[in-house]
């Protein structure tokens, strides 16, 4: 007998038929004698619609009210799945984040999980009840509803698995595992039987949506066994494991892309100490994360500072930088949301050279201009025009020899 957390993403609970299918899967595990807790996302598309409503009313809306709105999608599916489970004879009840409780910090819209008090859930599982927890949501220090950032139900699942000391955290989704790149963009992408926490973390952080970044970070820290598998087909999935489980480390194990970033350039910023600190302090104060950064010093003593922020934060970034314009003394702020970040990831990069060259060469051969470059120990990322996203990902997948058999 094992204790399992099963998480179902948006497409897996997109309508009542799919919710019935999910209930059947959960029932199977219960009948196999396992203790099961379930985490659900909102129905596919629902969170996007809720986010749009907030933005339409006010682009600089109150993040606390945004959370109140966007957390509702998961409330619906947790109740519906509990009903579907009861209908097939499985004892179940829904749990909202605040009921568990899932305690978070107060960073509304991207809150961090601080603790899950899982004792009551463990007790219920012990007597055969299936808790169905609404993913994505928690309760902040002031008692208000918080959400964990887009894709945050994965984090809810891993955090719950850690809290109840589950043997496994199974993430059911609309693909049957983790691939060398998004199989929707590259049909010749190959399924990875296993991938290291480190590589998965890096891939997720640069846009591979199959697992949310912080969920991988937490799984790695707490040693939660994560498996990604299809909620539509009975097929073996992909396991996220320790690096030392690999005999040979692949040079490049995956390619990821993200269209979630926007490029911001501050034109002609005075080149003096403290300017970068002021720019990034202002952004941090507004809870805006900055990713890639480049700075070029011109002959006239001014500099152009370019960086990327999440597209969802662009309005906030422009607002806050507009307010400190006189203090900073820059000439103009240029914002470009039509960019994509393309990244190659592999632990083999630690010991091999030439990975970046292959990337630049492959992009050049397709006539794709590189706007910004950033690297880490096991990753190289470039920013390109969003129009070239698919072309760039496919070219790199081929260039690193990752293509599987055609068809
Ligand atoms: P869910 O709603 O179940 O959480 P997501 O849409 O968040 O599902 O994540 C699954 C999607 O991730 C897939 O449909 C696929 O398009 C995308 N994806 C991106 N990169 C990869 C990858 N390397 N392997 C598998 N899927 C990927
Ligand atoms: N429903 C949330 C989202 O779309 C959380 C999740 O699906 O993981 O971002
Ligand atoms: Mg997801």
């Amino acid at each position: 007998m094992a204790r399992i957390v099963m998480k179902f993403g948006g497409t897996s609970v997109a309508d009542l038929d799919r919710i019935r299918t999910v209930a059947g899967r959960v029932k199977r595990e219960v009948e196999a004698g396992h203790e099961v807790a379930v985490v659900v996302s909102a129905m596919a598309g629902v969170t996007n619609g809720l986010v749009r409503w907030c933005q339409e009313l006010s682009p600089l809306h109150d993040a606390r009210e945004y959370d109140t709105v966007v957390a509702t999608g998961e409330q619906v599916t947790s109740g519906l799945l509990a009903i579907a489970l009861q209908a097939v004879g499985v004892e179940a009840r829904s749990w909202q984040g605040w009921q568990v409780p899932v305690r978070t910090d107060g960073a509304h819209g991207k809150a961090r999980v601080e603790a899950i008090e899982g004792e009551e859930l463990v007790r219920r599982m012990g007597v055969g009840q299936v808790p169905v927890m609404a993913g994505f949501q928690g309760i902040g220090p002031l008692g208000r509803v918080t959400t964990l950032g887009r894709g945050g139900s994965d984090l809810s699942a891993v955090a719950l698995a850690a809290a109840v000391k589950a043997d496994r955290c199974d993430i059911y989704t609309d693909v049957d595992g983790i691939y060398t790149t998004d199989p929707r963009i590259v049909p010749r992408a190959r399924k990875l039987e296993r991938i290291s926490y480190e590589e998965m973390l890096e891939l997720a952080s640069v846009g591979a949506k199959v697992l949310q970044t912080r969920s991988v970070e937490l799984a790695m820290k707490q040693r939660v066994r994560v498996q990604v598998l299809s909620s539509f087909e009975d097929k073996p999935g992909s396991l996220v494991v320790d690096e030392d489980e690999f005999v040979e480390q692949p040079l490049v194990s995956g390619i990821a892309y993200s269209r979630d970033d926007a490029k911001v350039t501050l034109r002609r910023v005075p080149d003096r100490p403290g300017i970068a600190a002021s720019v990034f302090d202002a952004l941090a104060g507004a809870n805006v994360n900055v990713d890639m950064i480049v700075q070029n010093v011109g002959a006239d003593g001014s500099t152009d500072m370019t960086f990327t922020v999440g597209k969802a934060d662009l309005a906030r970034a422009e607002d806050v930088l507009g307010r400190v314009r006189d203090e900073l003394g820059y000439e103009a702020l240029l914002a470009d949301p039509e960019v994509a970040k393309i990244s190659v990831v592999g632990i083999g990069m630690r010991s091999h050279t030439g990975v970046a060259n292959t990337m630049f060469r492959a992009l050049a051969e397709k006539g794709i201009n590189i706007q910004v470059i950033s690297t880490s120990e096991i990753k190289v990322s470039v920013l390109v025009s969003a129009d070239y996203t698919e072309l760039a990902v496919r070219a790199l997948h081929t260039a690193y020899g990752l293509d599987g058999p055609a068809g």
Side-chain angles (χ1 to χ4, degrees), residues 179 181-190 394 397 404-407:
Y179 280 73
T181 191
D182 189 342
R184 296 187 195 288
I185 288 212
V186 181
R188 291 179 71 177
R190 280 185 292 113
R394 289 196 192 115
H397 200 263

Side-chain angles (χ1 to χ4, degrees), residues 13 33 40 49 72 87 121 183 185 213 234 236 238 261 265 338 374:
V13 294
V40 282
T72 57
L121 265 51
I185 288 212
T213 310
D234 284 313
S238 303
D261 303 292
T265 299
E338 299 306 320
S374 75

Side-chain angles (χ1 to χ4, degrees), residues 7 9 41 151-152 154 173 209-212:
K7 180 260 170 177
S41 292
D154 294 334
T173 184
K209 289 211 164 73
V210 63
L211 285 174
Q212 187 236 26

Side-chain angles (χ1 to χ4, degrees), residues 276-289:
S278 305
V279 169
F280 297 115
D281 277 353
L283 292 167
N287 226 342
V288 173
N289 289 332

Side-chain angles (χ1 to χ4, degrees), residues 81-198:
L81 181 58
I83 292 174
L85 283 166
Q86 290 166 6
V88 292
V90 176
E91 203 188 320
R93 91 151 248 203
S94 64
W95 291 82
Q96 304 313 298
W98 62 270
Q99 292 171 321
V100 175
V102 176
R103 297 207 182 276
T104 73
D105 65 12
H108 284 275
K110 44 184 129 173
R112 296 189 79 86
V113 176
E114 289 181 338
I116 294 189
E117 292 164 31
E119 298 79 14
E120 182 58 17
L121 265 51
V122 170
R123 195 187 66 73
R124 305 246 184 164
M125 278 191 268
V127 296
Q129 194 179 83
V130 174
V132 183
M133 187 173 100
F136 187 48
Q137 46 166 275
I139 177 168
L142 300 176
R144 300 198 61 170
V145 171
T146 53
T147 63
L148 312 180
R150 296 306 307 271
S153 297
D154 294 334
L155 176 61
S156 307
V158 172
L160 182 63
V164 303
K165 301 197 169 43
D167 299 290
R168 268 179 14 228
C169 181
D170 291 343
I171 307 280
Y172 287 87
T173 184
D174 57 0
V175 283
D176 60 2
I178 300 163
Y179 280 73
T180 46
T181 191
D182 189 342
R184 296 187 195 288
I185 288 212
V186 181
R188 291 179 71 177
R190 280 185 292 113
K191 184 155 90 177
L192 301 165
E193 215 175 290
R194 48 188 57 211
I195 181 168
S196 69
Y197 287 114
E198 288 82 356

Side-chain angles (χ1 to χ4, degrees), residues 188-346:
R188 291 179 71 177
R190 280 185 292 113
K191 184 155 90 177
L192 301 165
E193 215 175 290
R194 48 188 57 211
I195 181 168
S196 69
Y197 287 114
E198 288 82 356
E199 286 167 304
M200 190 60 238
L201 179 59
E202 203 79 51
L203 277 173
S205 74
V206 290
K209 289 211 164 73
V210 63
L211 285 174
Q212 187 236 26
T213 310
R214 281 199 269 141
S215 73
V216 186
E217 201 174 32
L218 187 68
M220 180 158 117
K221 209 162 99 199
Q222 304 269 347
R223 288 295 179 256
V224 175
R225 280 179 68 82
V226 172
Q227 188 177 197
V228 173
L229 59 180
S230 165
S231 55
F232 306 119
E233 295 170 283
D234 284 313
K235 273 191 182 171
S238 303
L239 273 176
V240 189
V241 298
D242 269 329
E243 199 177 305
D244 49 19
E245 287 192 34
F246 290 85
V247 183
E248 201 161 340
Q249 303 189 329
L251 182 58
V252 166
S253 49
I255 318 275
Y257 66 93
S258 164
R259 294 195 188 98
D260 297 339
D261 303 292
K263 184 175 78 168
V264 177
T265 299
L266 295 179
R267 179 66 58 79
R268 293 172 61 89
V269 186
D271 184 27
R272 58 177 154 77
I275 282 286
S278 305
V279 169
F280 297 115
D281 277 353
L283 292 167
N287 226 342
V288 173
N289 289 332
V290 174
D291 180 23
M292 306 168 102
I293 303 175
V294 277
Q295 197 183 352
N296 284 322
V297 181
D300 65 351
S302 78
T303 129
D304 280 356
M305 196 183 272
T306 297
F307 50 88
T308 58
V309 299
K311 247 182 212 163
D313 286 336
L314 182 58
R316 225 175 276 280
E318 286 183 279
D319 178 62
V320 74
L321 292 172
R323 281 196 239 167
V324 293
R325 180 174 175 180
D326 290 345
E327 183 194 323
L328 295 175
Y330 63 83
E331 188 184 278
L333 184 157
L334 312 173
D336 180 5
E338 299 306 320
V339 291
K341 182 171 66 174
I342 316 288
S343 309
V344 301
V345 172

